[in-house]
Structures are given as C-alpha cells and as structure tokens.
Amino acid sequence: MRALPIAVTVLAAALTLTACDDSGGGGADKKKPAAASGTCAAGKFALEVGPGNTAPVAGDTGNIPVTVTNRGSADCTLKGFPGVELSGGGTSWPVAEQQPANPQKVTLQPAEAATFTLTYVRGPKGDPKKSAAAKNVKISLSAGGDAQSFPWTYGEVALKTARAPDASVSPFQTAGD
C-alpha cells in the first residue's frame, strides 16, 4: 500500500502550490490585479513613416517602416494589423495584410514604440491599368479607426487588380524585435 502515501503527498503538494500567490503570502482568494491597458487611442500615439528602402524602378520591391509611439500616460495595446490605404487622384486602394502572418498583441507602456512595415512593388509610371498613382498613405491603428495621412513619395505602386495594389502591411511588433 505504498501508493497511497505517495498520492497523498502529491495531492498535498498540489494544494499547497495553488494556495500561493505572487505576493509570497497564502490564500487562494487573493488574485494579482491585471495590468491596466487599453486600445491605443487617437491623439495618444505618434506615427513616424520611413525612411524607407525605396523601390527605384518598376518591378522592384520597397519597404517602408512605420513607428508607432505611445504618447499617452497609460499602457495601450495594439492588436493585429494597422489599417493602411493608398490614395491619389480621387481613388483609394486598401493595402492587404501580409500573409501568412501570425499577429501578436503588443502592449506599449508610455513612450514605448512598436513598428510595422509597408511592403510594395513599384509600378510602371503613367499606366493606370498597371499602377496606382498614389500621392498619400492613410494609416490607422485598427481597420476603420481614426487615421493620419502622410505624403506618399515612393512612386507609383503596381496593381494586382484595379482595386488591389501589389502591397502588404505586416502586423505590429515591438520596436527592436
């Protein structure tokens, strides 16, 4: 009947471990408070676009890094992908999310930064069937959220279809990763 004392010892050890919390005291009812965080709201963050690795000629690929800095006084959370849209001449082209990608939730403390990358293929100049003559890029921290516009100075963007540029946006990641 040696199995019974071992089972009792294992059960007692398990109960003892579940009664501990991170404060060093006992008590199963004590819970560590969750970290306060919210979605990064308009006016509480700064965006910096570029400098980029510009695609010099049609068919080349360029990468434009974008840095998001938490300017608020509390933690904020970025989830998934930013919303990115190119526009020019009364037309807009939504930029697709990078596939395959496994976006992670990124929590930024005040003054911390995250990044994402806008990758595009340069299109032939002056051919509206093959290129998006983008003049601006609009960026929001969530699809459909408050957006900020910036001049697009990286040339025309190749089109996959009339409404789909040959471009993609990566998920958020902590700056420096």
Side-chain angles (χ1 to χ4, degrees), residues 40-69:
C40 295
K44 301 287 184 181
F45 64 89
L47 289 173
E48 180 182 348
V49 178
N53 166 12
T54 304
V57 297
D60 286 349
T61 300
N63 298 295
I64 313 302
V66 179
T67 304
V68 181
T69 304

Side-chain angles (χ1 to χ4, degrees), residues 80-172:
F81 295 86
V84 177
E85 181 180 85
L86 299 170
S87 64
T91 304
S92 62
W93 303 272
V95 175
E97 296 172 351
Q98 183 183 60
Q99 297 299 322
N102 185 20
Q104 304 294 315
K105 181 169 73 169
V106 175
T107 300
L108 300 177
Q109 295 178 1
E112 280 190 327
T115 63
F116 64 89
T117 302
L118 173 59
T119 301
Y120 73 100
V121 174
R122 181 81 175 251
K125 187 173 180 157
D127 187 345
K129 293 186 183 213
K130 294 183 179 180
S131 296
K135 300 293 180 203
N136 295 294
V137 59
K138 188 178 353 176
I139 300 169
S140 64
L141 297 187
S142 62
D146 291 332
Q148 294 181 24
S149 289
F150 299 89
W152 179 261
T153 59
Y154 306 104
E156 295 190 23
V157 178
L159 290 172
K160 292 181 183 179
T161 68
R163 294 276 310 137
D166 194 353
S168 64
V169 62
S170 72
F172 296 108

Side-chain angles (χ1 to χ4, degrees), residues 19-54:
C20 295
D21 65 11
D22 290 341
S23 66
D29 292 332
K30 291 184 181 178
K31 295 195 187 255
K32 189 175 180 180
S37 66
T39 303
C40 295
K44 301 287 184 181
F45 64 89
L47 289 173
E48 180 182 348
V49 178
N53 166 12
T54 304

